């Protein structure tokens, strides 16, 4: 299975830190944020990785190279301008192959077992990792009921409403009928949910959305203190 890291965001909330450095290369406890993902993916058995980029993307390619130092192969999907999540994945489909693939937002932190995801074969078009709703996103995104993800509470008695983590397994068929250009991922997922084609699971472990300088500093402090393996669940909108 191949993996993709979404790294094309401008990082507006990170400014001025991202004025001259792409967000994925912002240092956390001595190394770029994106490098933590790469190391964990390599340890989990992924050996082919795709990274999209837009803002200052040449810096990302120059710093990470072909991925050989981590024992995997990195291919790049440049965007100008950025294509949003759906458009970015669609542009990269020729690099991701015909089988299911893993996609991870470049600005999240988690202790999720990526090796288990490497072995997972979703039955439908997508399999989403959901997390408990953090204080900054109390209403959540989707419902999870008996392993199926739904967009509304119709016929979902007892279902739990959770937050999408930015981590999912997808099949290329999810993007059938799409055209090159910027578009969001959520409408495609909702359409597939309506057909019962999106499974999911609840991750109760660590998850953080590293979207602001404050959250970046918080993660750095936890890593330096030795508490980085268990950062508290949080999301900053």
């Amino acid at each position: 299975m191949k993996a993709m890291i979404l790294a094309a965001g401008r990082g507006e909330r990170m400014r001025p830190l991202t004025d001259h450095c792409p967000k994925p290369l912002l240092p956390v406890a001595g190394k770029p944020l994106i490098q933590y993902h790469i190391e964990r993916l390599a340890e989990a058995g992924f050996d082919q990785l795709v990274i999209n980029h837009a803002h200052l993307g040449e810096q990302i390619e120059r710093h990470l190279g072909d991925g050989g130092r981590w024992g995997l192969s990195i291919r790049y999907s440049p965007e100008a301008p950025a294509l949003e999540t759906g458009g970015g994945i669609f542009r990269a489909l020729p690099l991701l192959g015909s089988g299911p693939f893993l996609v991870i937002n470049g600005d999240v932190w988690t202790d999720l077992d990526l090796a288990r995801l490497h072995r997972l074969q979703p039955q439908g078009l997508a399999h989403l990792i959901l997390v408990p709703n953090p204080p900054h996103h109390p209403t959540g995104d989707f419902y999870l009921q008996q392993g199926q993800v739904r967009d509304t509470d119709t016929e979902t008695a007892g279902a739990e409403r959770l937050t999408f983590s930015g981590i999912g397994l997808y099949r290329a068929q999810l993007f059938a009928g799409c055209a090159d250009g910027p578009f969001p991922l959520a409408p495609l997922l909702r359409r597939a949910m309506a057909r019962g084609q999106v499974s999911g699971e609840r991750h109760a472990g660590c998850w953080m959305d590293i979207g602001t300088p404050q959250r970046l500093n918080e993660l750095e402090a936890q890593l330096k203190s030795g508490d980085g393996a268990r950062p508290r669940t949080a999301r900053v909108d």
Side-chain angles (χ1 to χ4, degrees):
M1 181 185 292
K2 297 182 180 180
M4 179 177 185
I5 299 176
L6 299 175
R10 174 63 175 81
E12 290 290 344
R13 292 179 298 168
M14 283 289 192
R15 297 185 70 182
L17 297 178
T18 53
D19 285 346
H20 303 291
C21 177
K23 183 166 61 171
L25 293 186
L26 290 176
V28 184
K31 59 186 173 184
L33 182 61
I34 196 173
Q35 187 171 326
Y36 291 95
H37 277 325
I38 295 172
E39 291 172 353
R40 294 200 62 226
L41 287 167
E43 291 171 359
F46 290 89
D47 59 9
Q48 296 184 67
L49 175 62
V50 175
I51 299 176
N52 69 336
H53 62 68
H55 174 64
L56 302 176
E58 69 282 354
Q59 292 187 31
I60 295 175
E61 293 200 24
R62 187 163 57 248
H63 184 85
L64 301 179
D66 63 5
R69 79 184 89 165
W70 297 288
L72 48 70
S73 170
I74 298 178
R75 300 182 70 182
Y76 297 95
S77 181
E79 302 172 13
L83 297 175
E84 301 186 53
T85 302
I89 299 173
F90 179 78
R91 171 75 65 84
L93 286 180
L95 303 177
L96 291 167
S98 58
F101 52 88
L102 174 69
V103 177
I104 303 180
N105 283 2
D107 58 358
V108 299
W109 175 275
T110 182
D111 65 353
L112 184 66
D113 184 358
L114 299 180
R116 184 181 58 80
L117 290 185
H118 185 267
R119 299 187 296 269
L120 189 63
Q121 294 289 317
Q123 297 302 306
L125 297 178
H127 180 84
L128 306 184
I129 307 301
L130 307 175
V131 296
N133 298 328
H136 296 88
H137 194 61
T139 59
D141 297 309
F142 305 119
Y143 291 91
L144 181 64
Q145 183 181 49
Q146 298 179 344
Q148 290 294 305
V149 182
R150 307 181 190 280
D151 183 35
T152 71
D153 59 358
T154 303
E155 299 180 353
T156 55
E160 186 178 15
R161 191 165 174 86
L162 298 165
T163 292
F164 177 44
S165 68
I167 304 170
L169 294 171
Y170 306 106
R171 293 186 182 274
Q173 292 87 339
L174 178 67
F175 300 85
C178 295
D180 192 43
F183 60 87
L185 178 63
L188 302 182
L189 290 174
R190 292 190 171 97
R191 192 155 56 238
M193 288 174 197
R195 304 196 302 270
Q197 290 291 306
V198 181
S199 59
E201 61 186 84
R202 183 184 192 272
H203 176 61
C206 304
W207 176 81
M208 296 178 68
D209 178 353
I210 314 302
T212 66
Q214 177 185 357
R215 194 61 64 186
L216 187 73
N217 292 336
E218 181 178 332
L219 177 59
E220 169 133 356
Q222 292 182 47
L223 287 171
K224 287 184 174 180
S225 70
D227 192 35
R230 299 295 303 176
R232 67 178 181 269
T233 301
R235 172 180 174 133
V236 178
D237 290 332

